[in-house]
Amino acid sequence: MNDSWSVGGRRVVVRCRDALRKTGGAVEKRRIVLLGATGYTGQRVLRELLARGEKPTLVGRSRTRMATLADHFQVELPVTEVDVTSAADLTRLLEPSDVVVSTVGPFMRLGMATVTAAARAGAHYFDSTGEGTFARRVLLELDSVAAVRGATLVPAFGYDYVPGNLAGALALTRAGERARHVETGYFITRSGHGDELLYRSTLRDAYTLTTAGTRQTLVSAAAEDGFAYRSPRPWAAARVVEERPAKRVRTFHYGGVKRTAMTVPGTEHLGLPEVFPQLESVEVGLGWLGRWTRPVQIAATIQAPLLRSAKVRAALARWSERLPGSQREPDPDGRSLVIAVARDGHGLPLATAALTGPDPYEMTGSLLAWGAAHAAQPDAVLRPGAHGPVAAFGLDTLRLGAAQAEVHEVDGATARRR
């Protein structure tokens, strides 16, 4: 069973069957390797994998903690103790037939070793990062390595940024060839407070519905370099350009409710133009802060010059590690809403798609488990290289996988009529 793809103008043939372990001539499922299983998100991924009947190999620095976790789930699992920041150690561990799932962050500091080892080994790779700069680095630096080795790398395969890629692709597909721009917005809602599509999040929600790690990542990201997808100057071709986070605010009108979101770097900037090459701009917005979106965006603009200082960046990173509520788990009634709008060359809306699903952490665990289980199948076909989720799986397959993670499309007009 061979698959061939075009890489840099060359035709690469990947001998999938030879890369998989065999028993009695039959092709076996790939081994799933889970890094970070003892963490908050990692435990959710493990739970979902076990519910699917998978028995992943747990990899981390503490054999005792991983064995204790397996006992907690009342299951026997292979456990391997290794330095997860050592590309050399991980390269010796990983095989071409593996599917790697990493929840070890912050990814810009701790994640490159794992994804580099997976690319070199020819193993498929998924992670839980919400750091757009990390995802961009993976796609820029490891695409050709992964493609030649037959590996598929899909960073940020969770709440960040699968639903935005999916909603954007759905809206663009419906809009057709006239579509030139797409905007996606990420929002959090709550169940039990009336219609979820009509709920507008507050600043308090951004605290009570997230983990300390997420808040730390958001604060640290303010000091990181960001990017966007647009034309750098009039009449120039669109491309990924440098742009600080929270440079602009975008407004989404959906279900009779107006929501605002600050621009952030995401994999939509990288993945959607790959599938829809006519795009002239891609916007990704984070709308967790509700009415505080514009004040926070203005404050970020004022402070932007200070963040050019390495000392200020380091101080902000240290402060983010001391944010209150480090031991507090998110409220259990959180939900997710992602909206995408496709526009023509004049900025007029052509089509809208919206997805709802569970809270960001449950969604991430379910999506990663589905992606790994799907990629582990002997007959799974993924596009070699480093890609966004639509290009890696195909739109139809990704939509079915999202549905298994309880991520479904909704109609805002229905909510407005209630």
Side-chain angles (χ1 to χ4, degrees):
M1 179 179 66
N2 295 343
D3 289 320
S4 62
W5 304 85
S6 178
V7 180
R10 296 179 294 112
R11 204 67 177 170
V12 175
V13 178
V14 182
R15 294 174 174 81
C16 302
R17 186 176 298 276
D18 292 342
L20 298 178
R21 292 179 296 276
K22 300 178 181 179
T23 300
V27 181
E28 291 186 348
K29 290 174 59 176
R30 293 172 178 263
R31 177 180 68 162
I32 297 176
V33 178
L34 176 59
L35 289 82
T38 58
Y40 183 80
T41 300
Q43 289 187 42
R44 287 175 174 252
V45 176
L46 177 57
R47 182 188 65 196
E48 294 294 328
L49 285 170
L50 294 175
R52 291 176 170 273
E54 304 292 344
K55 296 294 181 67
T57 296
L58 306 186
V59 174
R61 290 180 172 178
S62 173
R63 180 183 298 274
T64 300
R65 291 183 63 193
M66 291 185 290
T68 300
L69 179 63
D71 289 341
H72 171 75
F73 282 100
Q74 298 181 333
V75 63
E76 291 187 9
L77 296 175
V79 172
T80 300
E81 191 173 73
V82 70
D83 181 357
V84 296
T85 64
S86 170
D89 290 351
L90 290 167
T91 299
R92 286 190 289 270
L93 168 70
L94 299 179
E95 302 175 3
S97 55
D98 287 338
V99 176
V100 180
V101 180
S102 176
T103 64
V104 179
F107 284 82
M108 282 296 289
R109 181 160 59 91
L110 303 175
M112 280 306 296
T114 302
V115 66
T116 299
R120 291 174 178 172
H124 296 328
Y125 169 91
F126 306 90
D127 67 42
S128 62
T129 187
E131 303 164 45
T133 48
F134 174 80
R136 182 189 183 190
R137 184 177 176 186
V138 170
L139 269 68
L140 289 178
E141 296 183 11
L142 296 175
D143 177 51
S144 59
V145 175
V148 170
R149 300 280 184 169
T152 300
L153 315 179
V154 194
F157 199 80
Y159 173 85
D160 310 276
Y161 293 91
V162 171
N165 277 274
L166 177 55
L170 291 172
L172 288 166
T173 299
R174 290 166 191 160
E177 296 182 358
R178 293 173 54 202
R180 293 294 180 272
H181 310 277
V182 66
E183 304 161 0
T184 63
Y186 286 79
F187 306 93
I188 49 178
T189 67
R190 285 182 181 270
S191 61
H193 294 261
D195 194 312
E196 293 176 20
L197 296 182
L198 303 181
Y199 186 90
R200 283 185 284 191
S201 61
T202 66
L203 188 62
R204 182 176 179 274
D205 291 330
Y207 173 77
T208 60
L209 296 177
T210 61
T211 65
T214 295
R215 296 191 292 274
Q216 177 184 338
T217 298
L218 289 175
V219 173
S220 299
E224 297 289 341
D225 296 328
F227 58 87
Y229 185 86
R230 64 180 64 256
S231 172
R233 56 187 179 277
W235 311 114
R239 59 179 176 82
V240 175
V241 297
E242 306 300 322
E243 182 176 288
R244 64 174 176 80
K247 184 173 183 179
R248 287 179 299 281
V249 170
R250 288 290 175 258
T251 301
F252 293 80
H253 297 268
Y254 190 76
V257 177
K258 183 173 75 171
R259 297 176 174 88
T260 54
M262 295 182 297
T263 53
V264 295
T267 62
E268 290 90 339
H269 301 104
L270 309 166
L272 290 179
E274 182 181 13
V275 183
F276 302 93
Q278 79 274 19
L279 283 174
E280 297 174 3
S281 75
V282 177
E283 296 273 20
V284 181
L286 184 66
W288 289 5
L289 304 181
R291 295 175 181 174
W292 282 85
T293 298
R294 290 190 183 277
V296 170
Q297 188 267 340
I298 292 171
T301 301
I302 294 172
Q303 295 173 4
L306 295 175
L307 296 178
R308 296 171 186 165
S309 164
K311 290 183 178 180
V312 173
R313 290 182 180 223
L316 183 62
R318 290 193 298 271
W319 177 75
S320 70
E321 296 174 355
R322 300 183 178 90
L323 291 172
S326 60
Q327 304 302 317
R328 185 186 185 282
E329 291 197 358
D331 289 351
D333 61 342
R335 296 280 294 170
S336 302
L337 171 66
V338 178
I339 304 169
V341 182
R343 301 181 182 274
D344 65 14
H346 300 288
L348 298 176
L350 298 173
T352 299
L355 304 172
T356 59
D359 73 81
Y361 307 100
E362 183 177 344
M363 184 189 295
T364 295
S366 296
L367 285 170
L368 281 169
W370 170 79
H374 178 86
Q377 297 300 316
D379 58 350
V381 177
L382 282 74
R383 184 178 182 182
H387 303 288
V390 179
F393 286 90
L395 180 56
D396 291 338
T397 299
L398 184 64
R399 179 162 44 183
L400 291 174
Q404 291 187 32
E406 300 299 323
V407 179
H408 301 286
E409 190 169 4
V410 290
D411 181 6
T414 302
R416 189 166 52 244
R417 290 194 297 268
R418 292 174 183 168

